[in-house]
Amino acid sequence: MTQAQATLSAKSRFRTGLAQWLNALPFVAVGLVGVLVFVVYPMIQNVKVSFQEFNILPGQSSPWVGWDNYRAVFEDPNDKFMIALKNTFLNVAVTVPINWFLAVFFAVVINTRFVKMKVAFRTLYYLPIVTSWIVVALLFKYLFADGSGGFVNYVLLHVGILSEPVAWKSHYWSAMIMIWLFHIWKTVGWGVVIYLAALQGIPRDLYEAADMDGASATGKFLRVTLPMLRPITLFVLINLVNGAFGFFPQVYFITAGGPMNQTQVIPSLIYMEAFKHFHFGEAAAMGVMMGLLVFAVTYYQMTKIGKQRLF
């Protein structure tokens, strides 16, 4: 192919692609406008505010301070950001594996043992997803109430596991356990529904072939089910990780960052700094750093882990 023919071919492909985009534009225009207005523009404004001493009062100036807000985040004598960062990674490390395992376990059990009741179980597991965060938070506050009147304390005392009631929100690890249980119970149904749908797409021929080879139930799960679920697993893991990074109602409604800001995560700390202490520049700086962190983790998952065998 000569250079002139290559140039002509490239122009033809460009015109074809442009025509396809123009044909599809009326159908995606509303979505694009929404993304630009509600996602891209706020992101640009947040980056801008992170370099300013932002003043919320109308008509007041917001002087440019450069990297001062970022330095202030790391020079905080109480290390609030570092504590929040540690808790954020701890949330990912604890909740993602448990959430994934429970989603696969319940989906496989429902798919094999309760075939005729799939719709009922799917609805049951998805109910916490559509239930208000506030309602679920109030439920968990009642369950983990201090003293022997709290349901969890009452049960643990009567079965002999505890000798005295636990003040769940007054200690770091007990408060974190509350937050993790709250998050897992509220979100595990999403993974169950996704995996239930994915299990329907696995060809029955593979299981029949495994039966002919004498494979056990465990062997079929490890050699057939998990490998066939690999693309869905990557999608689920990316969303679970992003969800664990985005802890906010889990902390704000349960502990409000207590005790002594020890259970703060980055989103809840951003909210507190911006709307309680009015440190908008520092809150925006933390938001920018969290955005870059989530982008880096997601990019690594998609480019590195996605190319490797998960099982």
PDB file of all heavy atoms in Angstrom, residues 5 18 59 61 70 94 107 112 125 141 187 193 202 222 224 231 246 251 258 265 268 282 293:
ATOM      1  N   GLN A   5      -2.403   5.865  -0.591  1.00  0.00           N
ATOM      2  CA  GLN A   5      -3.507   4.962  -0.280  1.00  0.00           C
ATOM      3  C   GLN A   5      -3.719   4.849   1.232  1.00  0.00           C
ATOM      4  O   GLN A   5      -4.852   4.789   1.702  1.00  0.00           O
ATOM      5  CB  GLN A   5      -3.227   3.579  -0.880  1.00  0.00           C
ATOM      6  CG  GLN A   5      -3.300   3.548  -2.405  1.00  0.00           C
ATOM      7  CD  GLN A   5      -2.892   2.198  -2.952  1.00  0.00           C
ATOM      8  OE1 GLN A   5      -2.016   1.532  -2.389  1.00  0.00           O
ATOM      9  NE2 GLN A   5      -3.507   1.798  -4.058  1.00  0.00           N
ATOM     10  N   LEU A  18     -16.493   9.311  12.492  1.00  0.00           N
ATOM     11  CA  LEU A  18     -17.183  10.564  12.804  1.00  0.00           C
ATOM     12  C   LEU A  18     -18.672  10.452  12.522  1.00  0.00           C
ATOM     13  O   LEU A  18     -19.505  10.923  13.309  1.00  0.00           O
ATOM     14  CB  LEU A  18     -16.569  11.711  11.997  1.00  0.00           C
ATOM     15  CG  LEU A  18     -17.163  13.102  12.232  1.00  0.00           C
ATOM     16  CD1 LEU A  18     -16.985  13.504  13.704  1.00  0.00           C
ATOM     17  CD2 LEU A  18     -16.509  14.130  11.307  1.00  0.00           C
ATOM     18  N   GLY A  59     -18.928  37.208  47.602  1.00  0.00           N
ATOM     19  CA  GLY A  59     -18.253  38.487  47.415  1.00  0.00           C
ATOM     20  C   GLY A  59     -16.886  38.573  48.056  1.00  0.00           C
ATOM     21  O   GLY A  59     -16.180  39.566  47.868  1.00  0.00           O
ATOM     22  N   SER A  61     -12.937  37.373  48.698  1.00  0.00           N
ATOM     23  CA  SER A  61     -11.871  36.817  47.863  1.00  0.00           C
ATOM     24  C   SER A  61     -11.372  35.493  48.438  1.00  0.00           C
ATOM     25  O   SER A  61     -11.455  35.243  49.641  1.00  0.00           O
ATOM     26  CB  SER A  61     -10.706  37.802  47.770  1.00  0.00           C
ATOM     27  OG  SER A  61     -10.141  38.017  49.056  1.00  0.00           O
ATOM     28  N   TYR A  70      -2.016  21.392  50.938  1.00  0.00           N
ATOM     29  CA  TYR A  70      -1.487  20.024  50.946  1.00  0.00           C
ATOM     30  C   TYR A  70      -0.471  19.845  52.076  1.00  0.00           C
ATOM     31  O   TYR A  70      -0.460  18.802  52.742  1.00  0.00           O
ATOM     32  CB  TYR A  70      -0.843  19.704  49.597  1.00  0.00           C
ATOM     33  CG  TYR A  70      -1.834  19.620  48.463  1.00  0.00           C
ATOM     34  CD1 TYR A  70      -2.227  20.756  47.749  1.00  0.00           C
ATOM     35  CD2 TYR A  70      -2.388  18.398  48.097  1.00  0.00           C
ATOM     36  CE1 TYR A  70      -3.140  20.676  46.715  1.00  0.00           C
ATOM     37  CE2 TYR A  70      -3.303  18.308  47.057  1.00  0.00           C
ATOM     38  CZ  TYR A  70      -3.677  19.446  46.371  1.00  0.00           C
ATOM     39  OH  TYR A  70      -4.589  19.366  45.347  1.00  0.00           O
ATOM     40  N   VAL A  94     -10.017  -5.551  54.967  1.00  0.00           N
ATOM     41  CA  VAL A  94     -10.913  -6.409  55.751  1.00  0.00           C
ATOM     42  C   VAL A  94     -12.199  -6.718  54.990  1.00  0.00           C
ATOM     43  O   VAL A  94     -12.614  -7.881  54.884  1.00  0.00           O
ATOM     44  CB  VAL A  94     -11.240  -5.751  57.112  1.00  0.00           C
ATOM     45  CG1 VAL A  94     -12.324  -6.542  57.845  1.00  0.00           C
ATOM     46  CG2 VAL A  94      -9.986  -5.667  57.968  1.00  0.00           C
ATOM     47  N   ALA A 107     -24.216 -17.015  46.472  1.00  0.00           N
ATOM     48  CA  ALA A 107     -24.701 -17.166  45.096  1.00  0.00           C
ATOM     49  C   ALA A 107     -24.648 -18.622  44.654  1.00  0.00           C
ATOM     50  O   ALA A 107     -25.597 -19.135  44.043  1.00  0.00           O
ATOM     51  CB  ALA A 107     -23.866 -16.291  44.153  1.00  0.00           C
ATOM     52  N   THR A 112     -27.496 -23.680  43.474  1.00  0.00           N
ATOM     53  CA  THR A 112     -27.480 -25.138  43.435  1.00  0.00           C
ATOM     54  C   THR A 112     -28.532 -25.775  44.342  1.00  0.00           C
ATOM     55  O   THR A 112     -29.071 -26.835  44.013  1.00  0.00           O
ATOM     56  CB  THR A 112     -26.089 -25.672  43.838  1.00  0.00           C
ATOM     57  OG1 THR A 112     -25.731 -25.139  45.124  1.00  0.00           O
ATOM     58  CG2 THR A 112     -25.052 -25.250  42.815  1.00  0.00           C
ATOM     59  N   TYR A 125     -31.732 -10.800  49.557  1.00  0.00           N
ATOM     60  CA  TYR A 125     -30.368 -10.313  49.717  1.00  0.00           C
ATOM     61  C   TYR A 125     -30.202  -8.890  49.194  1.00  0.00           C
ATOM     62  O   TYR A 125     -29.289  -8.181  49.629  1.00  0.00           O
ATOM     63  CB  TYR A 125     -29.389 -11.243  48.978  1.00  0.00           C
ATOM     64  CG  TYR A 125     -29.018 -12.455  49.776  1.00  0.00           C
ATOM     65  CD1 TYR A 125     -29.568 -13.691  49.486  1.00  0.00           C
ATOM     66  CD2 TYR A 125     -28.124 -12.366  50.842  1.00  0.00           C
ATOM     67  CE1 TYR A 125     -29.239 -14.817  50.232  1.00  0.00           C
ATOM     68  CE2 TYR A 125     -27.791 -13.473  51.594  1.00  0.00           C
ATOM     69  CZ  TYR A 125     -28.351 -14.695  51.284  1.00  0.00           C
ATOM     70  OH  TYR A 125     -28.028 -15.791  52.031  1.00  0.00           O
ATOM     71  N   LYS A 141     -27.128   0.776  65.479  1.00  0.00           N
ATOM     72  CA  LYS A 141     -26.930   1.455  66.757  1.00  0.00           C
ATOM     73  C   LYS A 141     -27.726   0.781  67.864  1.00  0.00           C
ATOM     74  O   LYS A 141     -27.272   0.683  69.009  1.00  0.00           O
ATOM     75  CB  LYS A 141     -27.341   2.928  66.639  1.00  0.00           C
ATOM     76  CG  LYS A 141     -26.300   3.802  65.963  1.00  0.00           C
ATOM     77  CD  LYS A 141     -26.694   5.265  66.050  1.00  0.00           C
ATOM     78  CE  LYS A 141     -25.600   6.163  65.505  1.00  0.00           C
ATOM     79  NZ  LYS A 141     -25.930   7.598  65.635  1.00  0.00           N
ATOM     80  N   THR A 187     -24.000  -4.249  51.911  1.00  0.00           N
ATOM     81  CA  THR A 187     -23.567  -4.288  50.507  1.00  0.00           C
ATOM     82  C   THR A 187     -23.374  -5.685  49.943  1.00  0.00           C
ATOM     83  O   THR A 187     -23.227  -5.818  48.725  1.00  0.00           O
ATOM     84  CB  THR A 187     -22.239  -3.520  50.352  1.00  0.00           C
ATOM     85  OG1 THR A 187     -21.229  -4.111  51.191  1.00  0.00           O
ATOM     86  CG2 THR A 187     -22.408  -2.060  50.731  1.00  0.00           C
ATOM     87  N   VAL A 193     -26.266 -10.859  43.878  1.00  0.00           N
ATOM     88  CA  VAL A 193     -27.102 -10.714  42.690  1.00  0.00           C
ATOM     89  C   VAL A 193     -26.242 -10.773  41.418  1.00  0.00           C
ATOM     90  O   VAL A 193     -26.616 -11.422  40.433  1.00  0.00           O
ATOM     91  CB  VAL A 193     -27.896  -9.391  42.755  1.00  0.00           C
ATOM     92  CG1 VAL A 193     -28.607  -9.121  41.439  1.00  0.00           C
ATOM     93  CG2 VAL A 193     -28.904  -9.442  43.891  1.00  0.00           C
ATOM     94  N   ILE A 202     -23.018 -19.802  32.719  1.00  0.00           N
ATOM     95  CA  ILE A 202     -22.030 -20.882  32.583  1.00  0.00           C
ATOM     96  C   ILE A 202     -22.699 -22.058  31.875  1.00  0.00           C
ATOM     97  O   ILE A 202     -23.724 -22.566  32.337  1.00  0.00           O
ATOM     98  CB  ILE A 202     -21.500 -21.326  33.964  1.00  0.00           C
ATOM     99  CG1 ILE A 202     -20.825 -20.149  34.666  1.00  0.00           C
ATOM    100  CG2 ILE A 202     -20.539 -22.495  33.819  1.00  0.00           C
ATOM    101  CD1 ILE A 202     -20.302 -20.477  36.047  1.00  0.00           C
ATOM    102  N   LEU A 222     -13.854 -25.409  41.727  1.00  0.00           N
ATOM    103  CA  LEU A 222     -12.534 -24.815  41.538  1.00  0.00           C
ATOM    104  C   LEU A 222     -12.105 -24.804  40.082  1.00  0.00           C
ATOM    105  O   LEU A 222     -11.414 -23.876  39.648  1.00  0.00           O
ATOM    106  CB  LEU A 222     -11.496 -25.574  42.375  1.00  0.00           C
ATOM    107  CG  LEU A 222     -11.660 -25.491  43.903  1.00  0.00           C
ATOM    108  CD1 LEU A 222     -10.624 -26.364  44.598  1.00  0.00           C
ATOM    109  CD2 LEU A 222     -11.534 -24.053  44.384  1.00  0.00           C
ATOM    110  N   VAL A 224     -14.219 -25.316  37.243  1.00  0.00           N
ATOM    111  CA  VAL A 224     -15.211 -24.866  36.254  1.00  0.00           C
ATOM    112  C   VAL A 224     -15.825 -23.529  36.665  1.00  0.00           C
ATOM    113  O   VAL A 224     -15.749 -22.546  35.925  1.00  0.00           O
ATOM    114  CB  VAL A 224     -16.324 -25.926  36.068  1.00  0.00           C
ATOM    115  CG1 VAL A 224     -17.366 -25.413  35.071  1.00  0.00           C
ATOM    116  CG2 VAL A 224     -15.732 -27.234  35.585  1.00  0.00           C
ATOM    117  N   PRO A 231     -14.006 -13.009  34.633  1.00  0.00           N
ATOM    118  CA  PRO A 231     -14.272 -11.606  34.217  1.00  0.00           C
ATOM    119  C   PRO A 231     -15.210 -10.880  35.173  1.00  0.00           C
ATOM    120  O   PRO A 231     -15.008  -9.697  35.465  1.00  0.00           O
ATOM    121  CB  PRO A 231     -14.904 -11.769  32.827  1.00  0.00           C
ATOM    122  CG  PRO A 231     -14.498 -13.129  32.370  1.00  0.00           C
ATOM    123  CD  PRO A 231     -14.416 -13.970  33.594  1.00  0.00           C
ATOM    124  N   GLY A 246     -14.768   4.436  49.559  1.00  0.00           N
ATOM    125  CA  GLY A 246     -15.780   5.486  49.696  1.00  0.00           C
ATOM    126  C   GLY A 246     -16.594   5.408  50.965  1.00  0.00           C
ATOM    127  O   GLY A 246     -17.733   5.908  50.990  1.00  0.00           O
ATOM    128  N   VAL A 251     -19.256   5.381  58.575  1.00  0.00           N
ATOM    129  CA  VAL A 251     -18.563   6.020  59.694  1.00  0.00           C
ATOM    130  C   VAL A 251     -19.403   7.151  60.280  1.00  0.00           C
ATOM    131  O   VAL A 251     -19.584   7.240  61.497  1.00  0.00           O
ATOM    132  CB  VAL A 251     -17.185   6.551  59.240  1.00  0.00           C
ATOM    133  CG1 VAL A 251     -16.512   7.344  60.359  1.00  0.00           C
ATOM    134  CG2 VAL A 251     -16.292   5.397  58.789  1.00  0.00           C
ATOM    135  N   GLY A 258     -15.534   8.929  65.957  1.00  0.00           N
ATOM    136  CA  GLY A 258     -15.039   8.641  67.299  1.00  0.00           C
ATOM    137  C   GLY A 258     -14.598   7.196  67.448  1.00  0.00           C
ATOM    138  O   GLY A 258     -14.836   6.366  66.558  1.00  0.00           O
ATOM    139  N   VAL A 265     -12.314   8.008  58.279  1.00  0.00           N
ATOM    140  CA  VAL A 265     -11.780   7.625  56.984  1.00  0.00           C
ATOM    141  C   VAL A 265     -11.705   8.893  56.135  1.00  0.00           C
ATOM    142  O   VAL A 265     -12.213   9.944  56.533  1.00  0.00           O
ATOM    143  CB  VAL A 265     -12.651   6.547  56.308  1.00  0.00           C
ATOM    144  CG1 VAL A 265     -12.536   5.219  57.036  1.00  0.00           C
ATOM    145  CG2 VAL A 265     -14.107   6.989  56.238  1.00  0.00           C
ATOM    146  N   SER A 268     -15.129  10.787  55.352  1.00  0.00           N
ATOM    147  CA  SER A 268     -15.738  11.414  56.533  1.00  0.00           C
ATOM    148  C   SER A 268     -14.884  12.562  57.048  1.00  0.00           C
ATOM    149  O   SER A 268     -15.416  13.575  57.523  1.00  0.00           O
ATOM    150  CB  SER A 268     -15.951  10.369  57.635  1.00  0.00           C
ATOM    151  OG  SER A 268     -14.717   9.842  58.089  1.00  0.00           O
ATOM    152  N   GLU A 282      -8.213  22.631  52.645  1.00  0.00           N
ATOM    153  CA  GLU A 282      -7.608  21.377  53.075  1.00  0.00           C
ATOM    154  C   GLU A 282      -8.503  20.191  52.712  1.00  0.00           C
ATOM    155  O   GLU A 282      -8.012  19.124  52.316  1.00  0.00           O
ATOM    156  CB  GLU A 282      -7.353  21.408  54.580  1.00  0.00           C
ATOM    157  CG  GLU A 282      -6.317  22.446  54.987  1.00  0.00           C
ATOM    158  CD  GLU A 282      -6.133  22.504  56.496  1.00  0.00           C
ATOM    159  OE1 GLU A 282      -6.516  21.527  57.172  1.00  0.00           O
ATOM    160  OE2 GLU A 282      -5.618  23.523  56.990  1.00  0.00           O
ATOM    161  N   LEU A 293      -5.546   8.518  44.384  1.00  0.00           N
ATOM    162  CA  LEU A 293      -5.302   7.201  44.972  1.00  0.00           C
ATOM    163  C   LEU A 293      -6.265   6.160  44.409  1.00  0.00           C
ATOM    164  O   LEU A 293      -5.839   5.061  44.016  1.00  0.00           O
ATOM    165  CB  LEU A 293      -5.447   7.290  46.490  1.00  0.00           C
ATOM    166  CG  LEU A 293      -5.268   5.989  47.278  1.00  0.00           C
ATOM    167  CD1 LEU A 293      -3.876   5.437  47.088  1.00  0.00           C
ATOM    168  CD2 LEU A 293      -5.558   6.217  48.752  1.00  0.00           C
TER     169      LEU A 293
END
